[in-house]
Amino acid sequence: MSQFIASQKGTHIFYGSELRDPKVLESLLHHHKSLPNIKSILSKGIAYPVSKLKEETRIDMLKAALKKGSHHSVKKPENAPALRNRVKSDIENGLAIPITQGTAMKIVNGECYSLGVTKLFSIHEHGDRIPKKRVTH
């Protein structure tokens, strides 16, 4: 997997593809005591320790997530454009496939995480804050 990801530099699959290049951030963070760790995370990613779920636990969690549905923020009309654009983009780029709940239950080792929409700010090149919405999972 590491070799595959390493071969995808410049694409959305490569480590840190949603983040700024560490060189760009260095001028802002050069006094931060954790700069070496931050640079490593941004360029190599993070390895989260995980353990395999028991099958019964996985199925219970999947059923509960499917029953609950998405986060309440997804149901707000003002968030619909951000959600629609993200889902459409993910499907068009092969990052998501729409399936039924019944199909989700048949996927080997399948898990489900609800979507949400959050407000955040981007920073304009002159330092101005630009409001935007981000779809989360």
Side-chain angles (χ1 to χ4, degrees), residues 74-125:
V74 168
K75 298 170 183 145
K76 293 181 178 180
E78 65 268 22
N79 292 334
L83 180 65
R84 186 174 36 257
N85 290 340
R86 174 61 184 271
V87 171
K88 182 178 185 251
S89 172
D90 282 358
I91 292 169
E92 289 173 349
N93 289 303
L95 301 173
I97 301 171
I99 60 173
T100 64
Q101 289 187 1
T103 300
M105 291 300 300
K106 295 175 184 175
I107 296 175
V108 176
N109 297 320
E111 295 182 37
C112 177
Y113 300 92
S114 65
L115 292 178
V117 179
T118 187
K119 295 178 191 176
L120 54 93
F121 292 95
S122 181
I123 299 176
H124 186 271
E125 64 186 50

